[in-house]
């Protein structure tokens, strides 16, 4: 989704109960991590939150909110993964006050993740969840300080669209947005992420440096 599509989606959803919930959750997401690297983003064993990672990194850069740039936490770290994509699930056990754990859960989070989220909560981290459907894990919701459920009734056109809108809303702050110019030859998180995915999918090893 580009900015025009995001604005169109915002206009379509403006005034709905769900978008009100999205804006409230976005405020919490923006304020919960207090330092760069303090937003720990994790998915489920079956779905890693690549889209949300890219969306949040973009918004953090555009809005000048380094604390919104995520640290991607992974259930399984493949051999040869670069350092920024090699943060294991046990990082959540070290989470502390001033950090936030954002769980993106389109499916079952699994017991190992729930146990580590419980540890993070006990250590003072804010626990935030974005989940799909009304049948989200009750255990995960019980651990969460705030949760945004994406309905399956067609109000929101897909889970990825909801993530994009959430990230854009979180980056807006109190209506003030710093849109800096093109990043030129800066190789940001999305570029590194794309290169890594291409490599894993069978692309040339030279695509990631």
């Amino acid at each position: 989704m580009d900015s025009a599509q995001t604005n169109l989606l915002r206009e379509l959803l403006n005034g709905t109960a769900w978008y009100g919930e999205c804006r409230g959750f976005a405020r919490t997401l923006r304020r919960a991590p207090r330092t760069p690297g303090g937003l720990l983003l994790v998915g489920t064993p079956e779905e890693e939150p690549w889209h949300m990672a890219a969306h949040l990194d973009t918004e953090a850069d555009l809005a000048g909110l380094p604390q919104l740039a995520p640290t991607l936490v992974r259930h399984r770290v493949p051999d040869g993964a670069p350092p920024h994509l090699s943060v294991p699930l046990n990082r959540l056990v070290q989470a502390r006050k001033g950090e936030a754990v954002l769980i993106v859960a389109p499916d079952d989070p699994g017991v190992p993740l729930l146990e580590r989220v419980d540890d993070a909560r006990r250590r003072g981290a804010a626990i935030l969840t974005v989940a799909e459907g009304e049948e989200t894990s009750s255990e995960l919701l019980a651990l969460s300080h705030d949760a945004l459920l994406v309905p399956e009734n067609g109000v929101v056109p897909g889970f990825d669209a909801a993530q994009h809108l959430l990230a854009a809303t979180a980056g807006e702050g109190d209506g003030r947005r710093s849109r800096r110019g093109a990043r030129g030859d800066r190789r940001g998180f999305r570029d590194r992420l794309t290169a890594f995915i291409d490599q894993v999918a069978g692309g040339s090893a030279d695509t990631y440096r």
Side-chain angles (χ1 to χ4, degrees):
M1 293 179 67
D2 57 26
S3 58
Q5 292 171 321
T6 301
N7 289 334
L8 176 59
L9 180 58
R10 193 196 319 274
E11 291 175 7
L12 291 173
L13 294 176
N14 192 30
T16 65
W18 185 84
Y19 185 53
E21 295 170 5
C22 179
R23 292 183 64 184
F25 187 89
R27 284 193 296 271
T28 301
L29 175 60
R30 185 169 60 251
R31 296 170 181 172
R34 299 176 187 171
T35 58
L39 178 58
L40 307 178
L41 175 64
V42 63
T44 67
E46 301 300 322
E47 292 286 342
E48 292 193 301
W50 300 111
H51 288 106
M52 188 57 130
H55 296 330
L56 285 172
D57 191 71
T58 296
E59 295 303 324
D61 185 48
L62 291 173
L65 296 171
Q67 71 273 19
L68 198 59
T71 297
L72 184 64
V73 177
R74 310 185 69 183
H75 289 259
R76 295 177 294 276
V77 177
D79 293 338
H84 66 285
L85 296 177
S86 299
V87 181
L89 204 59
N90 278 342
R91 170 64 176 86
L92 301 182
V93 178
Q94 304 165 10
R96 60 189 186 276
K97 187 175 181 179
E99 294 186 328
V101 179
L102 175 60
I103 304 108
V104 177
D107 51 43
D108 185 7
V111 173
L113 175 57
L114 291 173
E115 291 176 344
R116 288 162 177 79
V117 168
D118 184 45
D119 289 336
R121 180 180 171 115
R122 291 176 186 275
R123 291 176 64 89
I127 308 300
L128 309 175
T129 294
V130 180
E132 188 170 23
E134 301 297 329
E135 298 182 4
T136 303
S137 165
S138 58
E139 293 89 350
L140 179 57
L141 292 180
L143 290 171
S144 301
H145 293 102
D146 198 358
L148 179 66
L149 300 183
V150 180
E152 297 176 336
N153 59 6
V155 170
V156 183
F159 194 56
D160 184 51
Q163 293 176 67
H164 191 108
L165 183 58
L166 170 61
T169 304
E172 288 175 354
D174 299 319
R176 299 184 299 273
R177 189 172 192 133
S178 176
R179 288 282 184 183
R180 298 202 292 273
R183 286 184 265 182
D185 60 357
R186 176 179 179 269
R187 197 176 186 201
F189 182 86
R190 288 188 303 168
D191 300 316
R192 300 195 303 272
L193 194 59
T194 299
F196 178 69
I197 293 172
D198 288 343
Q199 182 180 343
V200 171
S204 168
D206 293 333
T207 60
Y208 186 86
R209 296 185 185 276

